Amino acid sequence: MRVKALSLSLIAAGLLAQPALAQRSTTDALGFLTVGGTSKAYGINASGQVVGYASTSGSSGNNHAFLWSSGGGMQDLGTLGGALSYANAINAGGQVAGYAYTGSSVPHAFLWTSGVMQDLGTLGGSYSGAIAINAGGQVAGYSTTSSNTHAFLWSSGVMQDLGTL
């Protein structure tokens, strides 16, 4: 379903950088992973791929991270063994960052690349979450340490503690 919409709010939110785009934009319903479910988008790349989360089918209706593209529709990215996952960001290469619950029901940051969801671990605490990803596949987010929560930069398999102010 396509609904014509003036996208001034998208420009104000920084999602559309050029006012000319707003004059001819449309709003697309991206769908759900189940009929009548919920879906929310959190990230978009220059190719128009969108990430977020959507309700899954079945009685549990758990939320799962998704990747949407105009050619492929909404794809369930799965979890890290738990019931829930959420995608927050996507880069130009289609890599997705977010967080998913492990089999122990603890959220961990993930990097999804070409169908594989990788657990990025923590900084020694129990949970982590990924917020952003750049073109090089580096991921930024937060993680608990043994005593607090710190920002991190994950790159090439290593989660670096960025400390605090």
Coordinates of all heavy atoms in Angstrom, one line a residue, residues 14-86:
G14 N 16.0 14.4 10.1 CA 17.3 14.1 9.5 C 17.3 12.8 8.6 O 18.3 12.3 8.2
L15 N 16.1 12.2 8.4 CA 16.0 11.0 7.5 C 16.1 11.4 6.1 O 16.5 10.5 5.3 CB 14.8 10.2 7.9 CG 14.7 9.7 9.3 CD1 13.4 9.1 9.6 CD2 15.8 8.8 9.6
L16 N 15.6 12.5 5.7 CA 15.7 13.0 4.3 C 16.5 14.3 4.3 O 16.2 15.2 4.9 CB 14.4 13.2 3.7 CG 13.5 12.0 3.4 CD1 12.1 12.4 2.9 CD2 14.2 11.1 2.4
A17 N 17.6 14.3 3.6 CA 18.5 15.4 3.6 C 18.1 16.5 2.6 O 18.5 17.6 2.7 CB 19.9 15.0 3.4
Q18 N 17.4 16.1 1.6 CA 17.1 17.1 0.5 C 15.6 17.4 0.4 O 14.8 16.5 0.2 CB 17.5 16.5 -0.8 CG 19.0 16.3 -0.9 CD 19.4 15.6 -2.1 OE1 18.7 15.4 -3.1 NE2 20.7 15.2 -2.2
P19 N 15.2 18.6 0.6 CA 13.8 19.0 0.5 C 13.1 18.5 -0.8 O 11.9 18.2 -0.8 CB 13.7 20.5 0.7 CG 15.0 20.8 1.4 CD 16.0 19.8 1.0
A20 N 13.8 18.5 -1.9 CA 13.3 18.1 -3.1 C 12.7 16.7 -3.1 O 11.7 16.3 -3.7 CB 14.3 18.2 -4.3
L21 N 13.4 15.8 -2.3 CA 12.9 14.4 -2.1 C 11.6 14.4 -1.4 O 10.7 13.6 -1.6 CB 13.9 13.6 -1.3 CG 15.2 13.3 -2.0 CD1 16.2 12.6 -1.1 CD2 15.0 12.5 -3.3
A22 N 11.4 15.3 -0.4 CA 10.1 15.3 0.4 C 8.9 15.6 -0.5 O 7.8 15.1 -0.3 CB 10.2 16.3 1.5
Q23 N 9.1 16.4 -1.6 CA 8.0 16.8 -2.4 C 7.4 15.7 -3.2 O 6.2 15.7 -3.6 CB 8.4 18.0 -3.3 CG 8.7 19.2 -2.5 CD 9.3 20.3 -3.5 OE1 9.5 20.1 -4.7 NE2 9.7 21.4 -2.9
R24 N 8.1 14.7 -3.4 CA 7.6 13.5 -4.2 C 7.8 12.2 -3.5 O 7.8 11.2 -4.1 CB 8.3 13.5 -5.6 CG 9.8 13.4 -5.5 CD 10.4 13.5 -6.9 NE 11.6 14.1 -6.9 CZ 12.8 13.6 -6.7 NH1 13.1 12.6 -6.7 NH2 13.9 14.2 -6.7
S25 N 7.8 12.3 -2.2 CA 8.0 11.0 -1.4 C 6.7 10.3 -1.2 O 5.6 10.9 -1.3 CB 8.7 11.3 -0.1 OG 7.8 12.0 0.8
T26 N 6.8 9.1 -0.8 CA 5.6 8.3 -0.4 C 6.0 7.5 0.8 O 7.2 7.4 1.2 CB 5.3 7.3 -1.5 OG1 6.4 6.4 -1.8 CG2 4.8 8.0 -2.8
T27 N 5.0 7.0 1.5 CA 5.2 6.2 2.7 C 4.8 4.8 2.3 O 3.7 4.6 1.8 CB 4.4 6.7 3.9 OG1 4.7 8.1 4.1 CG2 4.6 5.9 5.1
D28 N 5.6 3.8 2.6 CA 5.3 2.4 2.3 C 5.1 1.7 3.6 O 5.8 1.8 4.6 CB 6.5 1.7 1.6 CG 6.7 2.2 0.2 OD1 5.8 2.7 -0.4 OD2 7.9 2.2 -0.3
A29 N 4.0 0.8 3.6 CA 3.8 -0.1 4.7 C 4.8 -1.3 4.4 O 4.7 -1.9 3.4 CB 2.4 -0.5 4.8
L30 N 5.7 -1.5 5.3 CA 6.7 -2.5 5.1 C 6.3 -3.9 5.4 O 6.8 -4.9 5.0 CB 8.0 -2.2 5.9 CG 8.7 -0.9 5.6 CD1 9.9 -0.7 6.4 CD2 9.0 -0.7 4.1
G31 N 5.2 -4.0 6.2 CA 4.6 -5.3 6.6 C 5.0 -5.8 8.0 O 5.5 -5.0 8.8
F32 N 4.7 -7.0 8.2 CA 5.0 -7.6 9.5 C 5.5 -9.0 9.3 O 5.4 -9.6 8.2 CB 3.8 -7.8 10.4 CG 2.7 -6.8 10.2 CD1 1.6 -7.1 9.5 CD2 2.8 -5.5 10.8 CE1 0.6 -6.2 9.3 CE2 1.8 -4.6 10.6 CZ 0.7 -4.9 9.8
L33 N 6.0 -9.7 10.3 CA 6.4 -11.1 10.2 C 5.2 -12.0 10.5 O 5.3 -13.2 10.5 CB 7.6 -11.4 11.1 CG 8.8 -10.7 10.8 CD1 9.9 -10.9 11.8 CD2 9.3 -11.0 9.4
T34 N 4.1 -11.4 10.9 CA 2.8 -12.1 11.1 C 1.7 -11.1 10.8 O 1.8 -9.9 10.8 CB 2.7 -12.5 12.6 OG1 1.5 -13.2 12.8 CG2 2.7 -11.3 13.6
V35 N 0.5 -11.7 10.5 CA -0.7 -10.9 10.1 C -1.2 -10.2 11.4 O -1.3 -10.8 12.4 CB -1.8 -11.7 9.5 CG1 -3.0 -10.9 9.3 CG2 -1.3 -12.4 8.2
G36 N -1.4 -8.9 11.3 CA -1.9 -8.1 12.4 C -0.9 -7.8 13.5 O -1.2 -7.3 14.5
G37 N 0.4 -8.0 13.2 CA 1.4 -7.8 14.2 C 1.9 -6.4 14.2 O 1.4 -5.5 13.5
T38 N 3.0 -6.2 15.0 CA 3.6 -4.9 15.1 C 4.9 -4.9 14.4 O 5.6 -5.9 14.4 CB 3.9 -4.6 16.6 OG1 2.6 -4.6 17.3 CG2 4.6 -3.3 16.8
S39 N 5.3 -3.8 13.8 CA 6.6 -3.6 13.2 C 7.1 -2.2 13.4 O 6.3 -1.3 13.3 CB 6.7 -4.0 11.7 OG 5.9 -3.2 11.0
K40 N 8.4 -2.0 13.7 CA 9.0 -0.7 13.8 C 10.3 -0.7 13.1 O 11.1 -1.6 13.2 CB 9.2 -0.3 15.3 CG 7.9 -0.2 16.1 CD 8.2 0.3 17.5 CE 6.9 0.5 18.2 NZ 7.1 1.0 19.5
A41 N 10.6 0.4 12.4 CA 11.8 0.6 11.6 C 12.8 1.5 12.4 O 12.3 2.5 13.0 CB 11.6 1.1 10.2
Y42 N 14.1 1.2 12.4 CA 15.0 2.0 13.1 C 16.2 2.5 12.3 O 16.9 3.4 12.7 CB 15.6 1.2 14.3 CG 14.6 1.1 15.5 CD1 13.9 0.0 15.7 CD2 14.3 2.2 16.3 CE1 13.0 -0.1 16.8 CE2 13.4 2.2 17.3 CZ 12.7 1.0 17.5 OH 11.8 0.9 18.5
G43 N 16.4 1.8 11.1 CA 17.6 2.2 10.3 C 17.3 2.0 8.9 O 16.5 1.2 8.5
I44 N 18.0 2.8 8.0 CA 17.9 2.7 6.6 C 19.3 3.1 6.0 O 20.0 3.9 6.5 CB 16.8 3.7 6.1 CG1 16.6 3.5 4.6 CG2 17.1 5.1 6.4 CD1 15.3 4.2 4.0
N45 N 19.6 2.4 4.9 CA 20.8 2.8 4.2 C 20.5 3.4 2.8 O 19.3 3.6 2.5 CB 21.8 1.5 4.0 CG 21.2 0.5 3.1 OD1 20.2 0.7 2.4 ND2 21.8 -0.7 3.1
A46 N 21.5 3.8 2.1 CA 21.4 4.6 0.9 C 20.7 3.7 -0.2 O 20.1 4.3 -1.1 CB 22.7 5.1 0.4
S47 N 20.7 2.4 -0.1 CA 20.0 1.5 -1.1 C 18.6 1.4 -0.7 O 17.9 0.7 -1.5 CB 20.7 0.2 -1.1 OG 22.1 0.3 -1.5
G48 N 18.1 1.9 0.4 CA 16.7 1.8 0.8 C 16.4 0.6 1.6 O 15.2 0.3 1.8
Q49 N 17.4 -0.2 2.0 CA 17.2 -1.3 2.9 C 16.8 -0.8 4.3 O 17.5 0.2 4.7 CB 18.4 -2.2 3.0 CG 18.7 -2.9 1.7 CD 20.0 -3.7 1.8 OE1 21.1 -3.1 2.1 NE2 20.0 -5.0 1.5
V50 N 15.9 -1.4 4.9 CA 15.4 -0.9 6.2 C 15.5 -2.0 7.2 O 15.3 -3.2 6.9 CB 13.9 -0.5 6.1 CG1 13.3 -0.1 7.4 CG2 13.7 0.6 5.1
V51 N 15.9 -1.7 8.5 CA 16.0 -2.6 9.6 C 15.1 -2.1 10.7 O 14.9 -1.0 10.9 CB 17.4 -2.9 10.0 CG1 18.2 -3.5 8.9 CG2 18.1 -1.6 10.5
G52 N 14.7 -3.1 11.6 CA 14.0 -2.8 12.8 C 13.5 -4.1 13.4 O 14.3 -5.1 13.4
Y53 N 12.3 -4.1 14.0 CA 11.8 -5.4 14.5 C 10.3 -5.5 14.2 O 9.6 -4.5 13.9 CB 12.1 -5.5 16.0 CG 11.2 -4.6 16.9 CD1 9.9 -5.1 17.3 CD2 11.6 -3.4 17.3 CE1 9.1 -4.3 18.1 CE2 10.8 -2.6 18.1 CZ 9.5 -3.1 18.5 OH 8.7 -2.3 19.3
A54 N 9.9 -6.8 14.2 CA 8.5 -7.1 13.9 C 8.0 -8.3 14.7 O 8.9 -9.1 15.1 CB 8.3 -7.3 12.4
S55 N 6.7 -8.4 15.0 CA 6.2 -9.5 15.7 C 6.3 -10.8 14.8 O 6.1 -10.7 13.6 CB 4.7 -9.3 16.0 OG 4.5 -8.2 16.8
T56 N 6.6 -11.9 15.4 CA 6.6 -13.1 14.7 C 5.3 -13.8 14.7 O 4.4 -13.5 15.5 CB 7.7 -14.1 15.3 OG1 7.4 -14.3 16.6 CG2 9.1 -13.5 15.2
S57 N 5.1 -14.9 13.9 CA 3.8 -15.6 14.0 C 3.9 -16.6 15.1 O 4.9 -16.8 15.8 CB 3.6 -16.4 12.6 OG 4.7 -17.2 12.4
G58 N 2.7 -17.2 15.4 CA 2.6 -18.1 16.5 C 2.0 -17.5 17.7 O 1.8 -16.3 17.8
S59 N 1.8 -18.3 18.7 CA 1.1 -17.8 19.9 C 1.9 -16.8 20.8 O 1.4 -16.0 21.5 CB 0.6 -18.9 20.8 OG 1.8 -19.7 21.2
S60 N 3.3 -17.0 20.7 CA 4.2 -16.1 21.5 C 4.3 -14.7 20.9 O 4.4 -13.8 21.7 CB 5.5 -16.8 21.6 OG 6.1 -16.9 20.3
G61 N 4.2 -14.6 19.6 CA 4.3 -13.2 19.0 C 5.6 -12.5 19.4 O 5.5 -11.3 19.6
N62 N 6.7 -13.2 19.5 CA 7.9 -12.5 19.9 C 8.4 -11.6 18.8 O 8.1 -11.7 17.7 CB 9.0 -13.6 20.2 CG 8.8 -14.4 21.4 OD1 8.3 -13.9 22.4 ND2 9.0 -15.7 21.3
N63 N 9.2 -10.6 19.2 CA 9.7 -9.6 18.3 C 11.1 -10.1 17.8 O 11.9 -10.6 18.5 CB 10.0 -8.3 19.0 CG 8.7 -7.6 19.4 OD1 7.7 -7.7 18.7 ND2 8.7 -6.9 20.5
H64 N 11.2 -10.0 16.5 CA 12.5 -10.4 15.8 C 13.0 -9.3 14.9 O 12.2 -8.6 14.3 CB 12.3 -11.7 14.9 CG 12.3 -13.0 15.7 ND1 12.5 -14.2 15.1 CD2 12.2 -13.2 17.0 CE1 12.5 -15.1 16.0 NE2 12.3 -14.6 17.1
A65 N 14.3 -9.2 14.9 CA 14.9 -8.2 14.0 C 14.6 -8.6 12.5 O 14.4 -9.7 12.2 CB 16.5 -8.2 14.2
F66 N 14.4 -7.5 11.7 CA 14.2 -7.8 10.3 C 15.0 -6.9 9.4 O 15.5 -5.9 9.8 CB 12.7 -7.6 9.9 CG 12.2 -6.1 9.9 CD1 12.5 -5.3 8.8 CD2 11.5 -5.6 10.9 CE1 12.1 -4.0 8.8 CE2 11.1 -4.3 10.9 CZ 11.4 -3.5 9.8
L67 N 15.2 -7.4 8.2 CA 15.8 -6.6 7.1 C 14.8 -6.6 6.0 O 14.3 -7.6 5.5 CB 17.1 -7.3 6.6 CG 17.7 -6.8 5.3 CD1 18.1 -5.3 5.4 CD2 18.9 -7.6 4.9
W68 N 14.4 -5.4 5.5 CA 13.5 -5.2 4.5 C 14.2 -4.6 3.2 O 15.0 -3.7 3.4 CB 12.3 -4.3 4.9 CG 11.3 -4.1 3.8 CD1 10.2 -4.8 3.6 CD2 11.3 -3.1 2.8 NE1 9.5 -4.3 2.5 CE2 10.2 -3.3 2.0 CE3 12.2 -2.1 2.5 CZ2 9.9 -2.4 0.9 CZ3 11.9 -1.2 1.4 CH2 10.7 -1.4 0.6
S69 N 13.9 -5.2 2.1 CA 14.3 -4.6 0.8 C 13.2 -4.6 -0.2 O 12.3 -5.5 -0.1 CB 15.5 -5.3 0.3 OG 15.2 -6.6 -0.1
S70 N 13.2 -3.7 -1.1 CA 12.1 -3.7 -2.1 C 12.0 -4.9 -2.9 O 10.9 -5.3 -3.3 CB 12.2 -2.4 -3.0 OG 13.4 -2.5 -3.8
G71 N 13.1 -5.6 -3.2 CA 13.0 -6.8 -3.9 C 12.8 -8.1 -3.1 O 12.3 -9.1 -3.7
G72 N 13.1 -8.1 -1.8 CA 12.9 -9.3 -1.0 C 11.9 -9.2 0.1 O 11.7 -10.2 0.8
G73 N 11.3 -8.0 0.3 CA 10.4 -7.9 1.4 C 11.0 -8.0 2.7 O 12.2 -7.7 2.9
M74 N 10.3 -8.4 3.7 CA 10.7 -8.5 5.1 C 11.3 -9.8 5.4 O 10.7 -10.8 5.3 CB 9.6 -8.2 6.1 CG 10.0 -8.0 7.5 SD 8.6 -7.4 8.6 CE 8.6 -5.7 8.2
Q75 N 12.6 -9.8 5.9 CA 13.3 -11.1 6.2 C 13.6 -11.1 7.7 O 14.1 -10.2 8.3 CB 14.6 -11.1 5.4 CG 15.5 -12.2 5.8 CD 16.9 -12.2 5.0 OE1 17.1 -11.3 4.2 NE2 17.7 -13.1 5.4
D76 N 13.2 -12.2 8.4 CA 13.5 -12.4 9.8 C 14.9 -12.7 10.0 O 15.5 -13.7 9.3 CB 12.6 -13.6 10.3 CG 12.6 -13.9 11.8 OD1 13.6 -13.4 12.4 OD2 11.7 -14.5 12.2
L77 N 15.7 -12.0 10.8 CA 17.1 -12.2 11.0 C 17.4 -13.2 12.1 O 18.5 -13.6 12.3 CB 17.8 -10.9 11.3 CG 17.7 -9.8 10.2 CD1 18.5 -8.6 10.6 CD2 18.0 -10.3 8.9
G78 N 16.3 -13.7 12.8 CA 16.5 -14.7 13.9 C 17.0 -14.1 15.2 O 16.8 -12.9 15.5
T79 N 17.5 -14.9 16.0 CA 18.0 -14.5 17.4 C 19.3 -15.2 17.6 O 19.9 -15.9 16.8 CB 17.0 -14.9 18.5 OG1 17.1 -16.3 18.6 CG2 15.6 -14.5 18.2
L80 N 19.8 -15.0 18.9 CA 21.1 -15.7 19.3 C 20.7 -16.9 20.2 O 21.4 -17.2 21.1 CB 22.0 -14.7 20.1 CG 22.6 -13.6 19.2 CD1 23.3 -12.6 20.1 CD2 23.6 -14.2 18.2
G81 N 19.5 -17.5 20.0 CA 19.1 -18.6 20.7 C 18.0 -18.3 21.7 O 17.4 -19.2 22.2
G82 N 17.7 -17.0 21.9 CA 16.6 -16.6 22.8 C 15.4 -16.3 22.0 O 15.2 -16.7 20.8
A83 N 14.4 -15.6 22.6 CA 13.1 -15.4 22.0 C 13.1 -14.0 21.2 O 12.2 -13.9 20.4 CB 12.1 -15.4 23.1
L84 N 13.9 -13.1 21.5 CA 13.8 -11.7 21.0 C 15.0 -11.2 20.3 O 16.1 -11.6 20.7 CB 13.4 -10.7 22.1 CG 12.2 -11.1 23.0 CD1 12.2 -10.2 24.2 CD2 11.0 -10.9 22.2
S85 N 14.8 -10.3 19.3 CA 16.0 -9.6 18.7 C 15.4 -8.3 18.1 O 14.3 -8.2 17.8 CB 16.6 -10.5 17.6 OG 15.7 -10.8 16.5
Y86 N 16.4 -7.3 18.0 CA 16.0 -6.0 17.6 C 17.2 -5.4 16.7 O 18.3 -5.5 17.2 CB 15.8 -5.0 18.8 CG 14.7 -5.5 19.7 CD1 14.9 -6.4 20.7 CD2 13.4 -5.1 19.5 CE1 13.9 -6.9 21.5 CE2 12.4 -5.5 20.3 CZ 12.6 -6.4 21.3 OH 11.6 -6.9 22.1

